């Protein structure tokens, strides 16, 4: 079939160790790209991480930080809020979000 139907989203319980490791690999690639200021590659890697594990707060936090760096504050805020939903006690995210909200 040329156009496979969009896979249904997995529940958090269905995300296994292998998927978490794959997500981590993408995020490490994203971080390396980010440090080399290759933001396109970083964003692509994070999108792939989110596809594997849509419950990764790190992925959304990192994506928010890249958008922030690019000056896309709305997108930054959206991704940081999603990360915070997945990791409610994250002080760093709370600080980022309140700093951005004050602008």
């Amino acid at each position: 079939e040329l156009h496979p139907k969009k896979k249904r989203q997995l529940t958090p319980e269905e995300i296994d160790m292998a998927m978490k490791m794959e997500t981590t690999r993408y995020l490490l690639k994203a971080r390396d790209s980010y440090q080399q200021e290759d933001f396109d590659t970083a964003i692509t890697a994070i999108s792939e991480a989110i596809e594997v594990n849509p419950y990764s707060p790190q992925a959304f936090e990192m994506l928010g930080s890249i958008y922030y760096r690019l000056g896309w504050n709305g997108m930054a805020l959206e991704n940081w809020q999603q990360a915070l939903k997945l990791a409610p006690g994250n002080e760093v995210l709370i600080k980022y979000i309140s700093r951005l909200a004050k602008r």
Side-chain angles (χ1 to χ4, degrees), residues 58-77:
Q58 296 89 345
F60 289 103
E61 182 175 345
M62 207 183 277
L63 196 50
S65 298
I66 292 172
Y67 286 137
Y68 181 74
R69 175 83 191 271
L70 293 170
W72 301 357
N73 292 354
M75 299 277 282
L77 194 56

Side-chain angles (χ1 to χ4, degrees), residues 43-92:
I43 289 169
T44 301
I46 295 172
S47 301
E48 288 170 351
I50 289 170
E51 208 165 294
V52 176
N53 179 6
Y55 303 99
S56 166
Q58 296 89 345
F60 289 103
E61 182 175 345
M62 207 183 277
L63 196 50
S65 298
I66 292 172
Y67 286 137
Y68 181 74
R69 175 83 191 271
L70 293 170
W72 301 357
N73 292 354
M75 299 277 282
L77 194 56
E78 211 173 286
N79 282 282
W80 284 340
Q81 284 167 338
Q82 180 61 28
L84 192 60
K85 238 185 269 175
L86 296 167
N90 186 326
E91 296 296 328
V92 174

Side-chain angles (χ1 to χ4, degrees), residues 2-98:
L2 281 178
H3 300 289
K5 292 196 171 59
K6 184 104 177 85
K7 293 194 307 251
R8 71 174 186 84
Q9 187 164 323
L10 296 171
T11 65
E13 295 73 38
E14 291 173 293
I15 306 292
D16 64 14
M17 211 50 229
M19 293 159 98
K20 287 186 174 141
M21 284 165 63
E22 191 181 347
T23 301
T24 301
R25 266 200 308 277
Y26 283 128
L27 294 180
L28 290 171
K29 181 182 173 193
R31 195 177 61 195
D32 289 345
S33 302
Y34 177 78
Q35 286 165 346
Q36 292 158 22
E37 302 203 353
D38 179 357
F39 300 123
D40 283 347
T41 304
I43 289 169
T44 301
I46 295 172
S47 301
E48 288 170 351
I50 289 170
E51 208 165 294
V52 176
N53 179 6
Y55 303 99
S56 166
Q58 296 89 345
F60 289 103
E61 182 175 345
M62 207 183 277
L63 196 50
S65 298
I66 292 172
Y67 286 137
Y68 181 74
R69 175 83 191 271
L70 293 170
W72 301 357
N73 292 354
M75 299 277 282
L77 194 56
E78 211 173 286
N79 282 282
W80 284 340
Q81 284 167 338
Q82 180 61 28
L84 192 60
K85 238 185 269 175
L86 296 167
N90 186 326
E91 296 296 328
V92 174
L93 279 169
I94 293 167
K95 199 170 68 198
Y96 287 168
I97 290 168
S98 67

